[in-house]
Amino acid sequence: MPRTRAVYACQQCGHESPRWLGRCPECGEWNTFVEEVERREGGTRTFLPRELTADSPRPLVEVSSQEVERYRTGFGELDRVLGGGVVPGSLVLLGGDPGIGKSTLLLQVSNHISSHRETVLYVSGEESPTQTRMRADRLGPLADRLLVMSESNLETICQHIGASGARLVVVDSIQSVYLSALDSPPGSVAQVRECAGTLLRLAKGQGVAVLLVGHVTKAGELAGPRVLEHAVDTVLYFEGERHQSYRILRGVKNRFGSCHEIGIFEMGEAGLVEVPNPSQVLLAERPEGAAGSVVVSTLEGTRPILVEIQALVGPATLGIPRRTASGVDQSRVALLLAVLEKRCGLHLSDHDAFLKITGGVHVEEPAVDLGIAVALASSFREIPADSGTVVVGEVGLAGEIRSVNRLEQRLREAVRMGFRRCVVPAVGLNLAIPGLEVVAVRTLDEALGAVLV
Ligand code: TYD
Ligand code: MG
């Protein structure tokens, strides 16, 4: 008789304990422990034949360093986020809210790759083949080598992967598949961890690329254990406002490329279409001559993108001033408000301040500091920022404007989008770009003087 034993596992990070715990000692989260049934003896660990996964020690010099050819996905945006396409034998996890377009994206990718090169197997644990077909009918002609299957038993799926000769497999989703050797239900920490482990061994052992769909929790994190993110080679998030058609694909981990790239897509009547010129889209609805609107040039991975920052500052109506920010860290906004107050004499402490980056983009780099500060000051003073000017720069606590990386690239994007003037840090400035008036500033005060005219 196989022996089973109950354990408790943290749904956040996968930490296990023989007892239920109120707070996870690993990740510090409260109320995340649920009961799991531990794997049976002789269970999943030995599920895949050893010869498929075994490797033996060999001199490093004998290991080929030639990169295998990647599968192009049919979307330049996705290829760039992946670092040049899907690497054979890699495990990629795509997370995102329900309805954002994960299944659509991977079905389009599957269809593209199978029409060009390889047999692709699309396994859905959530939809029937008929439902998948109905979705696919919107996406254009289908390739013969695209196989679909509705199955959630992972042992069966692995057998079919071997038998079909598929070189790329989509598993939609990791939370819907299970190993029958485990007693826990699909989606539990134990199942997700073991299923991902099994698929990882299959990918590495047989050189099959596996794309996994992962659901996200309310907080926007991938549901299931943290080990899932550690196990896979690449983690991508598909984000966007549900009521807008734009979708942003963001790499958060990538063993085969940069993890800071983003790709922009639009959901249309015939599936997802890439947006090769995001600056144009993100600036399309910019109000002309409105106070509080400023354009910044931000780097997302290797690519500069122009985004609009909007601020709304007004006298606080309730006692305590409210400060909210979307698309940028709220504490950065608080810091910049303090610098504006102290260094530029703007009395903002009794004002509400709201800030947003339009288009649902999230920016983290300090190079947008100056843009945020100028937007806040512009709204506070009710003076529109010059609409043909782009601003770039980090703001220090002394109100000084600090240099940013890859300034030239950022400014070239500004010129390409029709901007004729830019306000940039004076520190270490040494560049001239035809068609662009470069205004170098040392302090926030100077910058405000240059933009709010
Ligand atoms: P879906 O790929 O099912 O999302 P996920 O797998 O992330 O849950 O996307 C479903 C949404 O996309 C649904 O609201 C319908 C819409 N959609 C289109 O607008 N156009 C299309 O061509 C397709 C296939 C879907
Ligand atoms: Mg789906």
Side-chain angles (χ1 to χ4, degrees):
M1 258 306 271
R3 194 169 53 87
T4 58
R5 187 161 67 87
V7 291
Y8 294 86
C10 169
Q11 297 292 299
Q12 185 77 20
C13 68
H15 182 81
E16 286 181 356
S17 156
R19 290 174 297 119
W20 186 86
L21 298 174
R23 184 172 193 226
C24 175
E26 183 97 11
C27 66
E29 288 294 318
W30 292 90
N31 286 330
T32 52
F33 274 80
V34 294
E35 187 176 339
E36 298 268 343
V37 180
E38 209 177 44
R39 85 185 64 86
R40 287 181 189 166
E41 278 171 17
T44 59
R45 295 266 180 222
T46 54
F47 165 64
L48 281 177
R50 285 263 321 146
E51 63 272 17
L52 288 183
T53 56
D55 200 356
S56 48
R58 56 191 156 148
L60 184 57
V61 288
E62 284 175 19
V63 178
S64 160
S65 64
Q66 250 188 357
E67 197 180 304
V68 273
E69 202 186 325
R70 300 184 183 217
Y71 304 127
R72 301 264 167 213
T73 61
F75 291 112
E77 293 289 289
L78 174 57
D79 287 344
R80 203 189 50 256
V81 174
L82 287 167
V86 181
V87 176
S90 68
L91 194 56
V92 178
L93 179 63
L94 175 66
D97 287 330
I100 203 78
K102 303 180 293 296
S103 305
T104 305
L105 179 69
L106 294 186
L107 193 58
Q108 286 181 272
V109 168
S110 301
N111 193 31
H112 179 86
I113 294 178
S114 56
S115 69
H116 282 77
R117 289 174 56 172
E118 308 285 358
T119 300
V120 175
L121 177 60
Y122 185 99
V123 184
S124 182
E126 298 177 353
E127 292 174 353
S128 67
T130 312
Q131 285 172 310
T132 307
R133 174 67 204 252
M134 280 159 60
R135 179 201 309 276
D137 278 341
R138 301 173 66 170
L139 308 176
L142 291 173
D144 294 338
R145 275 176 296 187
L146 173 57
L147 310 177
V148 292
M149 181 169 88
S150 177
E151 178 61 65
S152 44
N153 181 317
L154 193 62
E155 285 99 340
T156 312
I157 293 171
C158 287
Q159 279 162 10
H160 284 294
I161 293 173
S164 65
R167 302 307 295 157
L168 186 125
V169 178
V170 174
V171 177
D172 187 355
S173 64
I174 186 71
Q175 279 88 6
S176 68
V177 294
Y178 68 94
L179 286 162
S180 57
L182 296 185
D183 286 340
S184 314
S188 62
V189 169
Q191 282 289 3
V192 168
R193 183 183 54 213
E194 293 302 322
C195 287
T198 303
L199 287 166
L200 182 74
R201 290 193 290 280
L202 179 94
K204 303 291 168 200
Q206 303 197 355
V208 175
V210 181
L211 308 182
L212 299 175
V213 169
H215 293 295
V216 296
T217 61
K218 276 209 193 88
E221 299 208 339
L222 277 161
R226 265 287 141 72
V227 285
L228 180 57
E229 290 182 47
H230 293 308
V232 302
D233 297 304
T234 304
V235 180
L236 309 176
Y237 276 95
F238 211 26
E239 315 168 334
E241 309 275 334
R242 287 207 51 192
H243 35 269
Q244 278 184 7
S245 56
Y246 292 108
R247 302 279 182 268
I248 297 176
L249 185 70
R250 187 183 295 280
V252 293
K253 167 181 175 180
N254 194 354
R255 288 196 181 131
F256 306 113
S258 155
C259 62
H260 301 293
E261 297 286 348
I262 67 166
I264 301 193
F265 294 84
E266 183 173 8
M267 180 64 95
E269 279 306 304
L272 289 152
V273 185
E274 54 192 335
V275 177
N277 195 352
S279 297
Q280 191 175 7
V281 170
L282 295 171
L283 297 182
E285 293 167 46
R286 187 161 63 110
E288 284 288 324
S293 159
V294 171
V295 177
V296 297
S297 186
T298 175
L299 270 187
E300 290 288 346
T302 55
R303 181 170 59 170
I305 298 180
L306 300 188
V307 295
E308 183 195 350
I309 297 179
Q310 290 190 336
L312 189 65
V313 177
T317 42
L318 304 168
I320 307 162
R322 282 174 299 169
R323 272 84 209 270
T324 58
S326 74
V328 59
D329 187 14
Q330 196 147 334
S331 58
R332 288 260 299 286
V333 178
L335 185 145
L336 291 164
L337 284 167
V339 175
L340 282 167
E341 174 120 21
K342 182 101 179 163
R343 308 288 171 200
C344 306
L346 268 54
H347 297 296
L348 290 155
S349 54
D350 53 357
H351 280 64
D352 290 336
F354 306 96
L355 194 104
K356 82 178 269 182
I357 311 283
T358 59
V361 183
H362 195 99
V363 287
E364 274 167 20
E365 57 155 8
V368 298
D369 281 356
L370 184 55
I372 296 173
V374 171
L376 290 167
S378 161
S379 175
F380 176 74
R381 289 189 181 158
E382 284 293 337
I383 303 174
D386 175 41
S387 66
T389 301
V390 166
V391 300
V392 181
E394 181 181 345
V395 177
L397 290 183
E400 82 279 17
I401 306 301
R402 311 173 73 101
S403 60
V404 301
N405 63 350
R406 307 212 214 165
L407 184 60
E408 181 169 348
Q409 235 183 316
R410 298 172 192 267
L411 299 188
R412 289 204 182 279
E413 175 70 4
V415 175
R416 199 176 69 78
M417 293 308 299
F419 287 85
R420 293 283 160 259
R421 188 165 175 268
C422 64
V423 173
V424 301
V427 195
L429 185 68
N430 173 28
L431 94 174
I433 293 176
L436 191 71
E437 179 195 344
V438 178
V439 183
V441 293
R442 296 190 179 278
T443 64
L444 188 49
D445 246 343
E446 271 180 51
L448 296 185
V451 189
L452 305 182
V453 283

mmCIF file with all atom_site columns, all heavy atoms in Angstrom, residues 97-105 127 135 138-139 172 267-271, ligand 1:
data_model
loop_
_atom_site.group_PDB
_atom_site.id
_atom_site.type_symbol
_atom_site.label_atom_id
_atom_site.label_alt_id
_atom_site.label_comp_id
_atom_site.label_asym_id
_atom_site.label_entity_id
_atom_site.label_seq_id
_atom_site.pdbx_PDB_ins_code
_atom_site.Cartn_x
_atom_site.Cartn_y
_atom_site.Cartn_z
_atom_site.occupancy
_atom_site.B_iso_or_equiv
_atom_site.pdbx_formal_charge
_atom_site.auth_seq_id
_atom_site.auth_comp_id
_atom_site.auth_asym_id
_atom_site.auth_atom_id
_atom_site.pdbx_PDB_model_num
ATOM   1   N N   . ASP A 1 97  ? -3.855  37.884 -15.960 1.00 0.00 ? 97  ASP A N   1
ATOM   2   C CA  . ASP A 1 97  ? -5.242  37.803 -15.500 1.00 0.00 ? 97  ASP A CA  1
ATOM   3   C C   . ASP A 1 97  ? -6.089  36.995 -16.479 1.00 0.00 ? 97  ASP A C   1
ATOM   4   O O   . ASP A 1 97  ? -5.764  36.931 -17.668 1.00 0.00 ? 97  ASP A O   1
ATOM   5   C CB  . ASP A 1 97  ? -5.838  39.213 -15.416 1.00 0.00 ? 97  ASP A CB  1
ATOM   6   C CG  . ASP A 1 97  ? -5.285  39.979 -14.233 1.00 0.00 ? 97  ASP A CG  1
ATOM   7   O OD1 . ASP A 1 97  ? -4.946  39.332 -13.224 1.00 0.00 ? 97  ASP A OD1 1
ATOM   8   O OD2 . ASP A 1 97  ? -5.182  41.207 -14.326 1.00 0.00 ? 97  ASP A OD2 1
ATOM   9   N N   . PRO A 1 98  ? -7.203  36.439 -16.008 1.00 0.00 ? 98  PRO A N   1
ATOM   10  C CA  . PRO A 1 98  ? -8.112  35.737 -16.918 1.00 0.00 ? 98  PRO A CA  1
ATOM   11  C C   . PRO A 1 98  ? -8.626  36.692 -17.993 1.00 0.00 ? 98  PRO A C   1
ATOM   12  O O   . PRO A 1 98  ? -8.893  37.863 -17.694 1.00 0.00 ? 98  PRO A O   1
ATOM   13  C CB  . PRO A 1 98  ? -9.265  35.291 -16.016 1.00 0.00 ? 98  PRO A CB  1
ATOM   14  C CG  . PRO A 1 98  ? -8.784  35.438 -14.623 1.00 0.00 ? 98  PRO A CG  1
ATOM   15  C CD  . PRO A 1 98  ? -7.667  36.413 -14.615 1.00 0.00 ? 98  PRO A CD  1
ATOM   16  N N   . GLY A 1 99  ? -8.712  36.197 -19.211 1.00 0.00 ? 99  GLY A N   1
ATOM   17  C CA  . GLY A 1 99  ? -9.286  37.005 -20.293 1.00 0.00 ? 99  GLY A CA  1
ATOM   18  C C   . GLY A 1 99  ? -8.333  38.015 -20.902 1.00 0.00 ? 99  GLY A C   1
ATOM   19  O O   . GLY A 1 99  ? -8.712  38.787 -21.773 1.00 0.00 ? 99  GLY A O   1
ATOM   20  N N   . ILE A 1 100 ? -7.096  38.025 -20.485 1.00 0.00 ? 100 ILE A N   1
ATOM   21  C CA  . ILE A 1 100 ? -6.162  39.025 -20.977 1.00 0.00 ? 100 ILE A CA  1
ATOM   22  C C   . ILE A 1 100 ? -5.648  38.636 -22.372 1.00 0.00 ? 100 ILE A C   1
ATOM   23  O O   . ILE A 1 100 ? -5.219  39.481 -23.151 1.00 0.00 ? 100 ILE A O   1
ATOM   24  C CB  . ILE A 1 100 ? -5.000  39.223 -19.972 1.00 0.00 ? 100 ILE A CB  1
ATOM   25  C CG1 . ILE A 1 100 ? -4.336  40.576 -20.144 1.00 0.00 ? 100 ILE A CG1 1
ATOM   26  C CG2 . ILE A 1 100 ? -3.962  38.117 -20.049 1.00 0.00 ? 100 ILE A CG2 1
ATOM   27  C CD1 . ILE A 1 100 ? -5.129  41.678 -19.546 1.00 0.00 ? 100 ILE A CD1 1
ATOM   28  N N   . GLY A 1 101 ? -5.680  37.331 -22.674 1.00 0.00 ? 101 GLY A N   1
ATOM   29  C CA  . GLY A 1 101 ? -5.270  36.875 -24.010 1.00 0.00 ? 101 GLY A CA  1
ATOM   30  C C   . GLY A 1 101 ? -4.133  35.869 -24.026 1.00 0.00 ? 101 GLY A C   1
ATOM   31  O O   . GLY A 1 101 ? -3.478  35.694 -25.061 1.00 0.00 ? 101 GLY A O   1
ATOM   32  N N   . LYS A 1 102 ? -3.895  35.190 -22.923 1.00 0.00 ? 102 LYS A N   1
ATOM   33  C CA  . LYS A 1 102 ? -2.795  34.216 -22.867 1.00 0.00 ? 102 LYS A CA  1
ATOM   34  C C   . LYS A 1 102 ? -3.016  33.073 -23.845 1.00 0.00 ? 102 LYS A C   1
ATOM   35  O O   . LYS A 1 102 ? -2.120  32.706 -24.610 1.00 0.00 ? 102 LYS A O   1
ATOM   36  C CB  . LYS A 1 102 ? -2.646  33.643 -21.441 1.00 0.00 ? 102 LYS A CB  1
ATOM   37  C CG  . LYS A 1 102 ? -2.424  34.681 -20.380 1.00 0.00 ? 102 LYS A CG  1
ATOM   38  C CD  . LYS A 1 102 ? -2.283  34.062 -19.007 1.00 0.00 ? 102 LYS A CD  1
ATOM   39  C CE  . LYS A 1 102 ? -3.549  33.403 -18.489 1.00 0.00 ? 102 LYS A CE  1
ATOM   40  N NZ  . LYS A 1 102 ? -4.675  34.327 -18.259 1.00 0.00 ? 102 LYS A NZ  1
ATOM   41  N N   . SER A 1 103 ? -4.235  32.494 -23.807 1.00 0.00 ? 103 SER A N   1
ATOM   42  C CA  . SER A 1 103 ? -4.515  31.363 -24.692 1.00 0.00 ? 103 SER A CA  1
ATOM   43  C C   . SER A 1 103 ? -4.448  31.805 -26.148 1.00 0.00 ? 103 SER A C   1
ATOM   44  O O   . SER A 1 103 ? -3.920  31.097 -27.007 1.00 0.00 ? 103 SER A O   1
ATOM   45  C CB  . SER A 1 103 ? -5.896  30.784 -24.400 1.00 0.00 ? 103 SER A CB  1
ATOM   46  O OG  . SER A 1 103 ? -5.996  30.444 -23.046 1.00 0.00 ? 103 SER A OG  1
ATOM   47  N N   . THR A 1 104 ? -4.965  32.995 -26.420 1.00 0.00 ? 104 THR A N   1
ATOM   48  C CA  . THR A 1 104 ? -4.955  33.506 -27.791 1.00 0.00 ? 104 THR A CA  1
ATOM   49  C C   . THR A 1 104 ? -3.523  33.684 -28.285 1.00 0.00 ? 104 THR A C   1
ATOM   50  O O   . THR A 1 104 ? -3.179  33.248 -29.384 1.00 0.00 ? 104 THR A O   1
ATOM   51  C CB  . THR A 1 104 ? -5.703  34.857 -27.849 1.00 0.00 ? 104 THR A CB  1
ATOM   52  O OG1 . THR A 1 104 ? -7.002  34.671 -27.301 1.00 0.00 ? 104 THR A OG1 1
ATOM   53  C CG2 . THR A 1 104 ? -5.808  35.375 -29.257 1.00 0.00 ? 104 THR A CG2 1
ATOM   54  N N   . LEU A 1 105 ? -2.682  34.285 -27.456 1.00 0.00 ? 105 LEU A N   1
ATOM   55  C CA  . LEU A 1 105 ? -1.294  34.518 -27.855 1.00 0.00 ? 105 LEU A CA  1
ATOM   56  C C   . LEU A 1 105 ? -0.589  33.192 -28.150 1.00 0.00 ? 105 LEU A C   1
ATOM   57  O O   . LEU A 1 105 ? 0.055   33.038 -29.196 1.00 0.00 ? 105 LEU A O   1
ATOM   58  C CB  . LEU A 1 105 ? -0.548  35.268 -26.738 1.00 0.00 ? 105 LEU A CB  1
ATOM   59  C CG  . LEU A 1 105 ? 0.919   35.560 -27.025 1.00 0.00 ? 105 LEU A CG  1
ATOM   60  C CD1 . LEU A 1 105 ? 1.057   36.597 -28.124 1.00 0.00 ? 105 LEU A CD1 1
ATOM   61  C CD2 . LEU A 1 105 ? 1.657   36.045 -25.770 1.00 0.00 ? 105 LEU A CD2 1
ATOM   62  N N   . GLU A 1 127 ? -10.196 23.945 -21.896 1.00 0.00 ? 127 GLU A N   1
ATOM   63  C CA  . GLU A 1 127 ? -11.154 24.083 -22.982 1.00 0.00 ? 127 GLU A CA  1
ATOM   64  C C   . GLU A 1 127 ? -11.162 22.814 -23.828 1.00 0.00 ? 127 GLU A C   1
ATOM   65  O O   . GLU A 1 127 ? -10.146 22.132 -23.928 1.00 0.00 ? 127 GLU A O   1
ATOM   66  C CB  . GLU A 1 127 ? -10.773 25.283 -23.876 1.00 0.00 ? 127 GLU A CB  1
ATOM   67  C CG  . GLU A 1 127 ? -10.932 26.609 -23.163 1.00 0.00 ? 127 GLU A CG  1
ATOM   68  C CD  . GLU A 1 127 ? -10.432 27.790 -23.986 1.00 0.00 ? 127 GLU A CD  1
ATOM   69  O OE1 . GLU A 1 127 ? -9.834  27.563 -25.055 1.00 0.00 ? 127 GLU A OE1 1
ATOM   70  O OE2 . GLU A 1 127 ? -10.633 28.920 -23.550 1.00 0.00 ? 127 GLU A OE2 1
ATOM   71  N N   . ARG A 1 135 ? -11.944 29.435 -31.283 1.00 0.00 ? 135 ARG A N   1
ATOM   72  C CA  . ARG A 1 135 ? -11.048 30.571 -31.094 1.00 0.00 ? 135 ARG A CA  1
ATOM   73  C C   . ARG A 1 135 ? -10.097 30.683 -32.278 1.00 0.00 ? 135 ARG A C   1
ATOM   74  O O   . ARG A 1 135 ? -9.876  31.755 -32.833 1.00 0.00 ? 135 ARG A O   1
ATOM   75  C CB  . ARG A 1 135 ? -10.245 30.371 -29.809 1.00 0.00 ? 135 ARG A CB  1
ATOM   76  C CG  . ARG A 1 135 ? -9.271  31.496 -29.531 1.00 0.00 ? 135 ARG A CG  1
ATOM   77  C CD  . ARG A 1 135 ? -8.172  31.041 -28.592 1.00 0.00 ? 135 ARG A CD  1
ATOM   78  N NE  . ARG A 1 135 ? -8.677  30.403 -27.388 1.00 0.00 ? 135 ARG A NE  1
ATOM   79  C CZ  . ARG A 1 135 ? -9.060  31.049 -26.314 1.00 0.00 ? 135 ARG A CZ  1
ATOM   80  N NH1 . ARG A 1 135 ? -8.974  32.345 -26.283 1.00 0.00 ? 135 ARG A NH1 1
ATOM   81  N NH2 . ARG A 1 135 ? -9.506  30.389 -25.267 1.00 0.00 ? 135 ARG A NH2 1
ATOM   82  N N   . ARG A 1 138 ? -10.917 32.433 -35.617 1.00 0.00 ? 138 ARG A N   1
ATOM   83  C CA  . ARG A 1 138 ? -10.805 33.898 -35.740 1.00 0.00 ? 138 ARG A CA  1
ATOM   84  C C   . ARG A 1 138 ? -9.404  34.330 -36.130 1.00 0.00 ? 138 ARG A C   1
ATOM   85  O O   . ARG A 1 138 ? -9.173  35.465 -36.488 1.00 0.00 ? 138 ARG A O   1
ATOM   86  C CB  . ARG A 1 138 ? -11.153 34.553 -34.403 1.00 0.00 ? 138 ARG A CB  1
ATOM   87  C CG  . ARG A 1 138 ? -12.541 34.216 -33.920 1.00 0.00 ? 138 ARG A CG  1
ATOM   88  C CD  . ARG A 1 138 ? -12.776 34.739 -32.526 1.00 0.00 ? 138 ARG A CD  1
ATOM   89  N NE  . ARG A 1 138 ? -12.781 36.200 -32.474 1.00 0.00 ? 138 ARG A NE  1
ATOM   90  C CZ  . ARG A 1 138 ? -13.164 36.896 -31.406 1.00 0.00 ? 138 ARG A CZ  1
ATOM   91  N NH1 . ARG A 1 138 ? -13.583 36.254 -30.338 1.00 0.00 ? 138 ARG A NH1 1
ATOM   92  N NH2 . ARG A 1 138 ? -13.125 38.211 -31.411 1.00 0.00 ? 138 ARG A NH2 1
ATOM   93  N N   . LEU A 1 139 ? -8.468  33.394 -36.005 1.00 0.00 ? 139 LEU A N   1
ATOM   94  C CA  . LEU A 1 139 ? -7.062  33.785 -36.116 1.00 0.00 ? 139 LEU A CA  1
ATOM   95  C C   . LEU A 1 139 ? -6.452  33.571 -37.489 1.00 0.00 ? 139 LEU A C   1
ATOM   96  O O   . LEU A 1 139 ? -5.276  33.798 -37.684 1.00 0.00 ? 139 LEU A O   1
ATOM   97  C CB  . LEU A 1 139 ? -6.230  33.020 -35.080 1.00 0.00 ? 139 LEU A CB  1
ATOM   98  C CG  . LEU A 1 139 ? -6.738  33.107 -33.628 1.00 0.00 ? 139 LEU A CG  1
ATOM   99  C CD1 . LEU A 1 139 ? -5.898  32.238 -32.713 1.00 0.00 ? 139 LEU A CD1 1
ATOM   100 C CD2 . LEU A 1 139 ? -6.736  34.549 -33.152 1.00 0.00 ? 139 LEU A CD2 1
ATOM   101 N N   . ASP A 1 172 ? -1.886  24.620 -21.235 1.00 0.00 ? 172 ASP A N   1
ATOM   102 C CA  . ASP A 1 172 ? -2.781  25.712 -20.844 1.00 0.00 ? 172 ASP A CA  1
ATOM   103 C C   . ASP A 1 172 ? -3.801  25.156 -19.864 1.00 0.00 ? 172 ASP A C   1
ATOM   104 O O   . ASP A 1 172 ? -4.798  24.570 -20.248 1.00 0.00 ? 172 ASP A O   1
ATOM   105 C CB  . ASP A 1 172 ? -3.464  26.243 -22.111 1.00 0.00 ? 172 ASP A CB  1
ATOM   106 C CG  . ASP A 1 172 ? -4.282  27.501 -21.851 1.00 0.00 ? 172 ASP A CG  1
ATOM   107 O OD1 . ASP A 1 172 ? -4.387  27.900 -20.692 1.00 0.00 ? 172 ASP A OD1 1
ATOM   108 O OD2 . ASP A 1 172 ? -4.812  28.049 -22.835 1.00 0.00 ? 172 ASP A OD2 1
ATOM   109 N N   . MET A 1 267 ? -5.356  43.698 -28.876 1.00 0.00 ? 267 MET A N   1
ATOM   110 C CA  . MET A 1 267 ? -6.315  42.617 -29.110 1.00 0.00 ? 267 MET A CA  1
ATOM   111 C C   . MET A 1 267 ? -7.354  43.107 -30.100 1.00 0.00 ? 267 MET A C   1
ATOM   112 O O   . MET A 1 267 ? -8.011  44.122 -29.869 1.00 0.00 ? 267 MET A O   1
ATOM   113 C CB  . MET A 1 267 ? -6.971  42.216 -27.784 1.00 0.00 ? 267 MET A CB  1
ATOM   114 C CG  . MET A 1 267 ? -7.980  41.104 -27.905 1.00 0.00 ? 267 MET A CG  1
ATOM   115 S SD  . MET A 1 267 ? -7.277  39.527 -28.437 1.00 0.00 ? 267 MET A SD  1
ATOM   116 C CE  . MET A 1 267 ? -6.995  38.718 -26.869 1.00 0.00 ? 267 MET A CE  1
ATOM   117 N N   . GLY A 1 268 ? -7.441  42.388 -31.224 1.00 0.00 ? 268 GLY A N   1
ATOM   118 C CA  . GLY A 1 268 ? -8.390  42.825 -32.247 1.00 0.00 ? 268 GLY A CA  1
ATOM   119 C C   . GLY A 1 268 ? -9.399  41.740 -32.545 1.00 0.00 ? 268 GLY A C   1
ATOM   120 O O   . GLY A 1 268 ? -9.527  40.760 -31.804 1.00 0.00 ? 268 GLY A O   1
ATOM   121 N N   . GLU A 1 269 ? -10.102 41.883 -33.656 1.00 0.00 ? 269 GLU A N   1
ATOM   122 C CA  . GLU A 1 269 ? -11.119 40.903 -34.044 1.00 0.00 ? 269 GLU A CA  1
ATOM   123 C C   . GLU A 1 269 ? -10.500 39.580 -34.449 1.00 0.00 ? 269 GLU A C   1
ATOM   124 O O   . GLU A 1 269 ? -11.113 38.531 -34.331 1.00 0.00 ? 269 GLU A O   1
ATOM   125 C CB  . GLU A 1 269 ? -11.945 41.463 -35.214 1.00 0.00 ? 269 GLU A CB  1
ATOM   126 C CG  . GLU A 1 269 ? -13.024 42.416 -34.781 1.00 0.00 ? 269 GLU A CG  1
ATOM   127 C CD  . GLU A 1 269 ? -13.922 41.787 -33.715 1.00 0.00 ? 269 GLU A CD  1
ATOM   128 O OE1 . GLU A 1 269 ? -14.482 40.721 -33.983 1.00 0.00 ? 269 GLU A OE1 1
ATOM   129 O OE2 . GLU A 1 269 ? -14.042 42.379 -32.612 1.00 0.00 ? 269 GLU A OE2 1
ATOM   130 N N   . ALA A 1 270 ? -9.274  39.624 -34.946 1.00 0.00 ? 270 ALA A N   1
ATOM   131 C CA  . ALA A 1 270 ? -8.596  38.395 -35.378 1.00 0.00 ? 270 ALA A CA  1
ATOM   132 C C   . ALA A 1 270 ? -7.364  38.143 -34.511 1.00 0.00 ? 270 ALA A C   1
ATOM   133 O O   . ALA A 1 270 ? -6.266  37.973 -34.995 1.00 0.00 ? 270 ALA A O   1
ATOM   134 C CB  . ALA A 1 270 ? -8.222  38.499 -36.851 1.00 0.00 ? 270 ALA A CB  1
ATOM   135 N N   . GLY A 1 271 ? -7.577  38.173 -33.234 1.00 0.00 ? 271 GLY A N   1
ATOM   136 C CA  . GLY A 1 271 ? -6.488  37.862 -32.317 1.00 0.00 ? 271 GLY A CA  1
ATOM   137 C C   . GLY A 1 271 ? -5.584  39.044 -32.038 1.00 0.00 ? 271 GLY A C   1
ATOM   138 O O   . GLY A 1 271 ? -5.948  40.197 -32.272 1.00 0.00 ? 271 GLY A O   1
HETATM 139 P P1  . TYD B 2 .   ? -8.046  34.489 -23.850 1.00 0.00 ? 1   TYD B P1  1
HETATM 140 O O1  . TYD B 2 .   ? -6.915  34.204 -24.771 1.00 0.00 ? 1   TYD B O1  1
HETATM 141 O O2  . TYD B 2 .   ? -9.072  33.443 -23.691 1.00 0.00 ? 1   TYD B O2  1
HETATM 142 O O3  . TYD B 2 .   ? -7.519  34.931 -22.433 1.00 0.00 ? 1   TYD B O3  1
HETATM 143 P P2  . TYD B 2 .   ? -6.835  34.063 -21.286 1.00 0.00 ? 1   TYD B P2  1
HETATM 144 O O4  . TYD B 2 .   ? -6.378  32.792 -21.881 1.00 0.00 ? 1   TYD B O4  1
HETATM 145 O O5  . TYD B 2 .   ? -5.721  34.955 -20.815 1.00 0.00 ? 1   TYD B O5  1
HETATM 146 O O6  . TYD B 2 .   ? -7.866  33.896 -20.238 1.00 0.00 ? 1   TYD B O6  1
HETATM 147 O O7  . TYD B 2 .   ? -8.681  35.880 -24.348 1.00 0.00 ? 1   TYD B O7  1
HETATM 148 C C1  . TYD B 2 .   ? -10.005 36.009 -24.350 1.00 0.00 ? 1   TYD B C1  1
HETATM 149 C C2  . TYD B 2 .   ? -10.447 37.416 -24.636 1.00 0.00 ? 1   TYD B C2  1
HETATM 150 O O8  . TYD B 2 .   ? -9.925  37.934 -25.837 1.00 0.00 ? 1   TYD B O8  1
HETATM 151 C C3  . TYD B 2 .   ? -11.930 37.387 -24.747 1.00 0.00 ? 1   TYD B C3  1
HETATM 152 O O9  . TYD B 2 .   ? -12.423 38.466 -23.986 1.00 0.00 ? 1   TYD B O9  1
HETATM 153 C C4  . TYD B 2 .   ? -12.188 37.523 -26.204 1.00 0.00 ? 1   TYD B C4  1
HETATM 154 C C5  . TYD B 2 .   ? -11.021 38.285 -26.701 1.00 0.00 ? 1   TYD B C5  1
HETATM 155 N N1  . TYD B 2 .   ? -10.636 37.996 -28.088 1.00 0.00 ? 1   TYD B N1  1
HETATM 156 C C6  . TYD B 2 .   ? -10.692 39.016 -29.021 1.00 0.00 ? 1   TYD B C6  1
HETATM 157 O O10 . TYD B 2 .   ? -11.032 40.149 -28.704 1.00 0.00 ? 1   TYD B O10 1
HETATM 158 N N2  . TYD B 2 .   ? -10.333 38.743 -30.317 1.00 0.00 ? 1   TYD B N2  1
HETATM 159 C C7  . TYD B 2 .   ? -9.917  37.513 -30.716 1.00 0.00 ? 1   TYD B C7  1
HETATM 160 O O11 . TYD B 2 .   ? -9.599  37.313 -31.903 1.00 0.00 ? 1   TYD B O11 1
HETATM 161 C C8  . TYD B 2 .   ? -9.878  36.460 -29.745 1.00 0.00 ? 1   TYD B C8  1
HETATM 162 C C9  . TYD B 2 .   ? -9.456  35.075 -30.128 1.00 0.00 ? 1   TYD B C9  1
HETATM 163 C C10 . TYD B 2 .   ? -10.243 36.744 -28.442 1.00 0.00 ? 1   TYD B C10 1
#
